[in-house]
Amino acid sequence: MNSLLFQLLQALLMVLLAPLVAGFLSTIKAHLQNRRGAGIMQPWRDIQKLFAKEVVLADHASWIFRFTPYIVFTATLMAASVVPALLVDTPLSLTADVIALVALLALARFFLSLAGMDIGTAFGGMGSSREMTFSALAEPAMLMSVLVLAIGAHSTNITTMITHTLTTPLLIQPSIAFALVAMLMIAVAETGRIPIDNPTTHLELTMIHEAMLLEYSGRHLALMEWASMVKLLLFTTLIIDLFMPWGIASEASLIGIVLALAIWLFKLMGLLIILAVFETSLAKLRLFEVPQYLGTAFVLSFLGLIIHYMLEVSV
Amino acid sequence: MLRILHQIMKVGTITEPLARNQDFEVLGEQLKSTVKKRFQGSLAIRLVDAGSCNGCELEIHAANNAYYDIERFGVHFTASPRFADMLLVTGPVSINMKTALEMTYDAMPAPKLVVAMGDCAINCGIFGQDNYAIAGSVSDIIPVDTIIHGCPPSPTALIQGILSTLNQPEG
């Protein structure tokens, strides 16, 4: 019962913190552009306003278009509650594994792409086609990267994988380094950041994720934006969980959880600052170079897998 | 990459301090509180260039740059009319942009506001009302809430215009 309550609290924390994370990232980016920026709370204000606005639907919008924001938000929320942020074993993270996590994100993406095509605008269809092309390359690479760790832990369950990392002595494992680099590359692509996609662009021709949202308004848009913020937080938390889980609470004691929260926030901020620096100093990749980028991520995680067998498995 | 990071560090924050541009800062703070009241602290603007000479666009661009940084008052420009609370129209409405402007207005969710920016948007300006390529001023095509005078209006005038639009009684 207690752990169930904690699971709910953790999911709630992820959802409520996600806009702040997006705000933090854009504030850091604003400072890197020598501006002051709108502040950490701005994404919250945007969401709040959008919920108060009218919803405008195109004449030929079908049920897919109307249902998609709810499906996408719920699927992302489910995925976010699978990932342990503060406590290692929560009920949901024990039932669902990494493959279920990827499947939940794929479900959200499937409906998002359908909704992009539903209205029939040129940009929506273009965004859907790009999203599908890149996700077909990014998903296997992500699974491969996670598998490097899963093989060491003999499980695809995130809780087991974290426990394995926490209990094994700290050694430099080259396979994990390869998997980490691959995972960072994929996380950038999956969350639609520079150099793959630009979340602040106004140029429809360069859009991937935003192009599918162009027809949404009001509360639908708010849910879509919110879901993509949750996804960003989800991926950063997943990277923390898989590659640097030290500090996460293994038992539900108050002190342990407060400490875990502080350490988690610290790591989160570190990753976001790194992301902001990279986003500011890199240009967006040409669209046709993205498959090569994702291919590189796949090759890196595959190398990690091979190195794991060559060097780290004792015969 | 390192060169860019070095440059960033060297320049520092250049958003103008209070003393150097009193008007903009004071109006900006008023704008911030008004936006908070009317739109929960987030005003999304869709810009439509209905046939302008791009002078107004340069000023809007300036309002978004690191000196003026209009974003810090909770105002941002969007990629789609569906996201927008305010339609900012520049230039006289050319015949080819008339339908596009009407469609943009129809695509916006309520509550929506319309601001005509620059002398051309108000009375066709230098292009003239009887020009063969022009359908009329903005108010001939869609209902306009406020106008911003100037050719082109400065970022301060732009903020003042947005502010007076928001201060109008609702409805």
Side-chain angles (χ1 to χ4, degrees):
Chain A
M1 183 60 215
N2 203 2
S3 60
L4 201 67
L5 184 75
F6 189 77
Q7 170 74 68
L8 276 174
L9 280 177
Q10 185 178 283
L12 205 65
L13 176 73
M14 293 282 269
V15 172
L16 296 182
L17 198 70
L20 293 183
V21 164
F24 178 75
L25 185 62
S26 63
T27 308
I28 299 278
K29 278 185 77 178
H31 281 291
L32 284 168
Q33 290 161 1
N34 304 323
R35 307 190 281 119
R36 280 193 220 155
I40 294 179
M41 288 300 286
Q42 189 60 34
W44 258 124
R45 291 194 279 263
D46 292 344
I47 289 177
Q48 213 184 337
K49 178 206 65 186
L50 284 171
F51 272 114
K53 292 272 292 187
E54 178 199 29
V55 173
V56 185
L57 286 175
D59 293 336
H60 44 272
S62 74
W63 62 272
I64 293 178
F65 187 79
R66 279 179 282 119
F67 277 45
T68 296
Y70 304 103
I71 296 172
V72 168
F73 189 76
T74 318
T76 317
L77 179 62
M78 287 291 290
S81 33
V82 165
V83 178
L86 306 177
L87 189 66
V88 177
D89 51 343
T90 44
L92 270 181
S93 60
L94 285 169
T95 50
D97 63 354
V98 179
I99 294 167
L101 177 83
V102 175
L104 279 170
L105 292 176
L107 175 75
R109 180 180 290 124
F110 174 73
F111 273 94
L112 182 60
S113 305
L114 277 188
M117 293 188 288
D118 189 49
I119 298 295
T121 59
F123 290 126
M126 187 195 69
S128 302
S129 118
R130 287 176 179 180
E131 177 89 358
M132 277 299 148
T133 312
F134 297 150
S135 66
L137 294 161
E139 263 168 31
M142 178 177 167
L143 275 178
M144 191 67 102
S145 159
V146 176
L147 278 182
V148 175
L149 291 129
I151 284 174
H154 300 292
S155 168
T156 51
N157 190 305
I158 304 180
T159 301
T160 322
M161 285 159 77
I162 296 174
T163 321
H164 175 77
T165 319
L166 287 176
T167 47
T168 44
L170 190 60
L171 285 173
I172 294 175
Q173 290 175 306
S175 66
I176 305 244
F178 275 99
L180 174 62
V181 174
M183 190 66 182
L184 288 174
M185 287 173 80
I186 296 153
V188 166
E190 288 268 343
T191 51
R193 314 299 306 190
I194 294 172
I196 305 301
D197 190 5
N198 182 357
T200 54
T201 184
H202 289 173
L203 202 62
E204 289 91 344
L205 283 174
T206 64
M207 286 176 175
I208 300 174
H209 178 77
E210 290 289 309
M212 293 181 286
L213 306 186
L214 281 176
E215 284 293 321
Y216 276 107
S217 55
R219 58 175 187 277
H220 290 162
L221 179 65
L223 284 176
M224 289 296 221
E225 298 275 1
W226 201 349
S228 75
M229 291 170 197
V230 173
K231 200 174 168 189
L232 176 67
L233 180 60
L234 164 90
F235 266 90
T236 32
T237 309
L238 187 66
I239 289 170
I240 292 172
D241 278 350
L242 293 178
F243 298 99
M244 39 185 163
W246 302 282
I248 194 166
S250 38
E251 275 165 36
S253 67
L254 189 66
I255 301 165
I257 283 169
V258 170
L259 197 67
L261 179 68
I263 295 173
W264 176 57
L265 286 177
F266 179 73
K267 288 186 233 176
L268 203 63
M269 277 158 77
L271 276 177
L272 290 171
I273 289 170
I274 295 172
L275 178 62
V277 169
F278 269 91
E279 281 210 310
T280 311
S281 46
L282 289 177
K284 200 170 157 296
L285 275 181
R286 267 183 66 208
L287 199 67
F288 293 110
E289 282 169 9
V290 175
Q292 289 169 24
Y293 170 96
L294 292 170
T296 312
F298 183 82
V299 169
L300 280 177
S301 40
F302 192 68
L303 280 176
L305 207 62
I306 293 176
I307 285 173
H308 177 77
Y309 274 112
M310 276 168 40
L311 302 179
E312 291 157 19
V313 176
S314 48
V315 186
Chain B
M1 178 175 156
L2 285 178
R3 192 179 54 77
I4 289 177
L5 289 178
H6 178 69
Q7 177 131 20
I8 289 168
M9 298 302 282
K10 212 170 63 184
V11 173
T13 303
I14 52 174
T15 303
E16 290 198 343
L18 203 74
R20 272 165 63 193
N21 201 335
Q22 199 80 47
D23 277 2
F24 192 82
E25 289 291 331
V26 170
L27 283 171
E29 287 308 317
Q30 285 175 24
L31 179 67
K32 196 172 179 176
S33 59
T34 316
V35 168
K36 198 165 183 59
K37 217 159 47 200
R38 284 290 297 272
F39 286 102
Q40 278 101 23
S42 154
L43 180 72
I45 301 180
R46 176 66 191 165
L47 166 67
V48 170
D49 174 353
S52 128
C53 69
N54 274 9
C56 292
E57 276 69 29
L58 286 173
E59 296 298 321
I60 293 167
H61 211 93
N64 276 308
N65 70 15
Y67 275 101
Y68 290 103
D69 191 19
I70 200 172
E71 202 191 308
R72 69 194 143 121
F73 307 126
V75 178
H76 63 276
F77 288 80
T78 60
S80 165
R82 296 259 197 250
F83 308 169
D85 308 308
M86 180 182 277
L87 183 62
L88 187 63
V89 193
T90 59
V93 183
S94 66
I95 285 171
N96 289 335
M97 277 302 285
K98 183 170 174 276
T99 321
L101 184 62
E102 287 165 348
M103 285 170 80
T104 308
Y105 181 75
D106 291 338
M108 282 173 61
K112 54 186 171 183
L113 300 163
V114 181
V115 178
M117 181 189 182
D119 288 341
C120 300
I122 299 164
N123 58 14
C124 298
I126 196 171
F127 297 101
Q129 298 221 295
D130 49 356
N131 191 311
Y132 68 92
I134 282 170
S137 62
V138 178
S139 54
D140 297 337
I141 315 295
I142 53 172
V144 171
D145 289 294
T146 32
I147 51 176
I148 303 173
H149 285 287
C151 184
S154 67
T156 313
L158 173 64
I159 277 207
Q160 198 149 31
I162 296 173
L163 192 59
S164 65
T165 318
L166 293 179
N167 281 333
Q168 280 180 351
E170 282 178 70

